[in-house]
């Protein structure tokens, strides 16, 4: 085949194979560019990061050359450094096509998010379809279908808005639990919660999160990189959030949000300790994903939970507990180590913002959701410590049943006056 058939089932895998195969032919000559094409491509989009503009110029020129040898033309470059764009021969910013849905916005779309290249900030667009926008502005009550459309219209692949979006999912679950049909009014109680949630859309529109974890960071600064995982659960949802922490050249700690993931609690009731354990499983998977998909080495990992029951399950013999607990504890200890788990008070647990509404989520540049909890900006000896380390708990213990029944003796011992005769009779009965 000289031309890839659009729409065929095999088209996606065939295109990726050709792209990677073409790159591997140049691996000896351009190893960094080859690695970027294989690992930093999303379909036909190439996203990569470099330490300086000179390295970016060199690698992007090599990437374009490799693609051209395979008959591919990569174009419409975007970069937060003007010198790189000029080197690649891209037109000025004013003459490029506006790729955003809202006219007049000077940002560009990157995988559904907005990347403001001039300031190197990530933003979110709340420009919805006409019918959804009309619903948000109207005073009429929403239906089940309209709420679902609104909740699913916000795209957050990195989980930066997880503490906000999870409450929309909770509202949707409440609608589902009520048994309301798709085009029926959801009721006054649910509408009040929904109105309270959509009021924050204007706040979401103004959020700006730095694309780079740490400004002006170099490879040397990442030699002290730590990953901190926080997990929490409530009756409505459970969540996990990961932060990076480094010590800069002046010895000052810096912390930055990496990603977060949330899930609503099951429709059937599950106890809080079990939900906390499910949050630990979610967090262990998320932390493993972060470690495996970052090229920078992570020196230490810390996992924080405010549940003493979960920490006790992790530190004890988990086979003693019911299958629900034993299987999940086994997975957590497969992905993480027991000594990586620590206790944190609920008021300092940042994942608590995603599981409880409180006063509503805060996304200010200096908020603890973006910058991490305050204690991470202090020395390690000042971090929270458990008052007493719980090593075991009786909750969810596997039941052990002992059956006792009195039986009639097989031999009447009163008939024997000699021990040897009794012994011979007993052995004869056992053998025969």
């Amino acid at each position: 085949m000289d031309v890839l058939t659009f729409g065929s089932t095999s088209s996606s895998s065939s295109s990726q194979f050709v792209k990677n195969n073409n790159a591997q032919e140049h691996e000896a000559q351009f190893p960094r560019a080859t690695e970027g094409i294989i690992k930093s491509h999303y379909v036909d989009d190439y996203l990569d990061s470099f330490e300086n503009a000179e390295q970016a110029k060199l690698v992007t020129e090599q990437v374009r050359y490799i693609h051209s040898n395979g008959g591919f033309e990569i174009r419409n470059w975007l970069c937060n450094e003007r010198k790189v764009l000029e080197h690649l021969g891209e037109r000025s910013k004013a003459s490029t096509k506006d790729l955003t849905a809202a006219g007049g916005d000077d940002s560009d779309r990157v995988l559904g998010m907005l990347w403001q290249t001039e300031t190197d900030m990530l933003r979110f667009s709340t420009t919805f379809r006409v019918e959804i926008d009309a619903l948000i502005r109207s005073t009429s009550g929403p239906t089940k279908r309209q709420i679902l459309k609104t909740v699913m219209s916000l795209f957050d692949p990195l989980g930066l808005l997880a503490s906000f979006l999870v409450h929309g999912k909770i509202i949707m679950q409440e609608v589902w639990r009520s048994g309301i049909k798709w085009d029926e009014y959801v009721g006054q109680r649910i509408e009040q919660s929904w109105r309270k949630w959509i009021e924050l859309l204007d706040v979401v529109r103004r959020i700006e999160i730095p694309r780079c974890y740490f400004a002006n960071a170099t490879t040397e600064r990442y030699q002290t990189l730590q990953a901190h995982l926080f997990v929490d659960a409530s009756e409505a949802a459970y969540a996990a959030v990961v932060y990076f922490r480094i010590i800069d050249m002046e010895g000052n700690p810096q912390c930055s949000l990496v990603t977060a993931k949330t899930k609503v609690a099951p429709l059937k009731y599950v106890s809080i300790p079990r939900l906390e354990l499910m949050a630990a499983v979610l967090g262990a998977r998320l932390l493993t994903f972060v470690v495996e998909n970052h090229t920078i080495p992570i020196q230490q990992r810390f996992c924080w939970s405010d549940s003493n029951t979960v920490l006790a399950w992790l530190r004890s013999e988990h086979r003693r507990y019911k299958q629900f607990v034993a299987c999940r504890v086994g997975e957590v200890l497969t992905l993480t180590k027991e000594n990586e788990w620590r206790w944190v008070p609920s008021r300092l647990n940042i994942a608590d913002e995603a599981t409880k509404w409180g006063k509503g989520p805060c996304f200010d540049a200096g908020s603890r959701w973006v910058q991490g909890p305050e204690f991470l900006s202090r020395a390690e000896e000042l971090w929270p410590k458990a008052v007493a380390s719980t090593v075991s708990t009786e909750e969810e213990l596997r039941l052990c049943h002992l059956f006792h029944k009195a039986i009639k003796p097989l031999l009447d011992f009163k008939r024997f006056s000699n021990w040897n005769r009794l012994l011979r009779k007993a052995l004869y009965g056992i053998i025969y």
Side-chain angles (χ1 to χ4, degrees), residues 127-394:
T127 303
F128 302 107
R129 296 170 59 182
V130 177
E131 64 270 22
I132 298 178
D133 192 60
L135 169 66
I136 294 175
R137 300 181 185 278
S138 68
T139 57
S140 59
T143 65
K144 177 180 178 179
R145 190 185 308 274
Q146 291 171 332
I147 290 181
L148 179 61
K149 283 183 178 180
T150 306
V151 173
M152 300 306 295
S153 295
L154 287 169
F155 184 61
D156 179 30
L158 299 178
L160 303 178
L161 296 179
S163 61
F164 168 71
L165 293 180
V166 66
H167 296 288
K169 298 176 183 178
I170 293 173
I171 294 172
M172 190 62 212
Q173 187 188 55
E174 184 65 24
V175 175
W176 193 270
R177 184 184 288 110
S178 65
I180 297 172
K181 296 183 179 179
W182 283 105
D183 296 310
E184 287 184 1
Y185 171 57
V186 296
Q188 185 177 4
R189 182 177 60 85
I190 296 178
E191 182 185 358
Q192 290 178 351
S193 300
W194 186 71
R195 294 290 178 188
K196 185 178 179 181
W197 183 75
I198 63 175
E199 284 178 359
L200 292 177
L201 291 177
D202 288 334
V203 177
V204 173
R205 187 181 295 111
R206 298 191 298 268
I207 294 174
E208 291 187 347
I209 298 179
R211 181 192 60 84
C212 186
Y213 293 135
F214 304 102
N216 302 321
T218 60
T219 306
E220 290 75 16
R221 293 193 179 188
Y222 281 106
Q223 292 180 356
T224 59
L225 181 64
Q226 300 173 347
H228 289 261
L229 166 70
F230 293 85
V231 297
D232 188 50
S234 67
E235 292 184 353
Y238 54 99
V241 56
V242 178
Y243 292 87
F244 278 165
R245 179 180 183 268
I246 64 171
I247 306 296
D248 60 22
M249 304 302 290
E250 291 76 24
N252 299 318
Q254 294 184 17
C255 195
S256 178
L257 172 65
V258 178
T259 185
K261 192 173 182 63
T262 59
K263 286 189 176 183
V264 293
L267 285 173
K268 295 183 179 179
Y269 177 77
V270 178
S271 66
I272 294 297
R274 284 193 171 193
L275 286 172
E276 293 278 7
L277 181 58
M278 293 168 67
V281 174
L282 180 69
R285 293 173 180 172
L286 184 64
L287 181 61
T288 302
F289 175 81
V290 169
V291 172
E292 292 178 349
N293 289 274
H294 279 79
T295 56
I296 49 180
I298 297 175
Q299 306 300 329
Q300 289 180 293
R301 304 191 308 180
F302 297 88
C303 306
W304 301 88
S305 174
D306 55 13
S307 174
N308 283 316
T309 302
V310 171
L311 296 177
W313 283 336
L314 296 175
R315 291 166 183 164
S316 59
E317 177 53 55
H318 57 274
R319 294 178 180 84
R320 300 170 51 231
Y321 299 99
K322 294 180 180 179
Q323 190 174 17
F324 182 97
V325 174
C327 293
R328 285 161 177 79
V329 170
E331 181 177 354
V332 172
L333 294 180
T334 300
L335 300 175
T336 60
K337 298 178 181 178
E338 178 189 328
N339 58 7
E340 292 176 342
W341 286 89
R342 299 190 178 194
W343 176 83
V344 61
S346 296
R347 59 184 177 83
L348 299 179
N349 190 354
I350 195 65
D352 188 75
E353 292 197 6
T355 58
K356 303 175 183 64
W357 180 264
K359 298 181 180 179
C362 179
F363 298 101
D364 295 338
S367 66
R368 68 174 195 157
W369 176 260
V370 178
Q371 298 293 333
E374 184 181 356
F375 72 83
L376 289 183
S377 61
R378 305 171 185 169
E380 185 172 348
E381 55 268 19
L382 300 177
W383 292 356
K385 292 180 176 60
V387 178
S389 179
T390 306
V391 295
S392 63
T393 177
E394 296 183 357

